[in-house]
Amino acid sequence: MRTSATVPFDELSDLLASTGARLRPGQPLAELTTLRVGGPAVVAECRTTDALVATVGALDTAGIPVLLLAGGSNLLISDDGFPGVVVRIAAAGVELGTDSVCAEAGAVWDEVVAATVSAGLGGLECLSGIPGSAGATPVQNVGAYGVEVAQLLRRVRILDRSSGAIDWVLPEDLGFGYRTSVLKHSDAAVVLAVEFELDPSGQSAPLRYRELAQSLGAEEGQTRPADLVRATVLRLRAGKGMVLADGDHDTWSAGSFFTNPVVPHERASAVHAAIAAHVGEVTVPSWETPEGIKFSAGWLIERAGFGKGHPGPGAPARLSTKHTLALTNRGAATAADLVELARAVRSGVAERFTVELEPEPVTVGITV
């Protein structure tokens, strides 16, 4: 397999001339990710689905490595960049139905949510304020405030890279789990569009997250108008530095960097014992799941000695000053700085509580 470093840019231009992609050599990938780190690469921007399909097909046929990138909100890219072609997914059409929304993969996710709420459609409001693209949401089964994409997804339009076939795929074929699917960590398919089934009454999804329900003066399981829930979610997320803002370095992140760990039932007592040994007999935030006991990653991180803002002022990469689950770029961090911090947090939690935290972002050219 070749890399773009061994393919002259003129040859790449000829290869992709008929695809409709716009080529940019030496594009700093830090400019295309919410963590704002990542070295240079050749970027092929595809503003239509046809251009996306043609570009990926041409590069695959030529044996040139491809990195798919849209909103860049769940990526940690090496300071060396990417040695192939970064295909920027920028097709952003959104079509509203009477009880649904269909969005092309490059549509800005929060704009999709806002459009559904404005149209009087309920269901996606708890996923307000999440950065990234619509096409990324089924890949990692995006979720927040008690709602996951898998609960509302009607179908996904996918390009099979091995055959070139384009088909609509149903949710039951995507192997959804906690922040994962068969699409994650796989290059076999490209998401082209997503379609969600929504509530035409304008009511929210049942409220399952205690903090959100309490903020709305509701009981868990009740619903509220979708526009009211969206406004409340945006306020709660902003208070945690989880709504993108150029001037707020707490938002220069990939969101929650670690998933909440699920410990098998047979190991849960040992974890509780380790917690008791280090922090005393306390009530530990945890939830029963079919796979085991899910613990709060943020709680474990803080009790392991990594408080908000760790390791302190002056560090290029720090935990958010608003909550401990986000690793942030304070303005001049490199990917290496973020990896160093992530490894320190992971090893500290494992040493104290015998729990291995798993990173949520996809890493490119680097290992946490």
Side-chain angles (χ1 to χ4, degrees), residues 21 60-61 64 72 83 89 94 101 107 127 140 164 176 182 199 206 209 213 300 334 346:
D60 284 349
T61 299
I64 297 172
I89 302 172
V94 177
V101 64
L127 304 181
Q140 67 178 69
F176 284 121
V182 297
D199 184 349
Y209 197 83
L300 293 172
T334 63
R346 286 190 81 189

Side-chain angles (χ1 to χ4, degrees), residues 136-223:
T137 60
V139 175
Q140 67 178 69
N141 190 17
V142 165
Y145 293 100
V147 173
E148 289 184 331
V149 160
Q151 297 167 344
L152 299 162
L153 190 67
R154 181 179 284 178
R155 56 181 184 165
V156 180
R157 193 173 184 228
I158 285 177
L159 165 68
D160 185 318
R161 291 175 67 176
S162 63
S163 67
I166 297 174
D167 292 299
W168 286 97
V169 177
L170 299 178
E172 52 262 36
D173 298 320
L174 294 176
F176 284 121
Y178 173 58
R179 300 297 175 268
T180 192
S181 73
V182 297
L183 300 169
K184 192 172 183 179
H185 302 299
S186 171
D187 296 327
V190 181
V191 174
L192 303 178
V194 292
E195 185 175 343
F196 294 91
E197 186 168 353
L198 304 176
D199 184 349
S201 74
Q203 289 294 107
S204 71
L207 300 170
R208 304 295 184 193
Y209 197 83
R210 183 177 303 171
E211 179 188 24
L212 178 59
Q214 289 177 342
S215 297
L216 289 160
E219 298 293 329
E220 292 182 49
Q222 292 183 330
T223 66

Side-chain angles (χ1 to χ4, degrees), residues 2-15 23 42 64:
R2 299 184 298 174
T3 70
S4 63
T6 63
V7 181
F9 184 74
D10 288 346
E11 186 178 330
L12 280 174
S13 297
D14 291 342
L15 175 68
L23 275 183
V42 175
I64 297 172

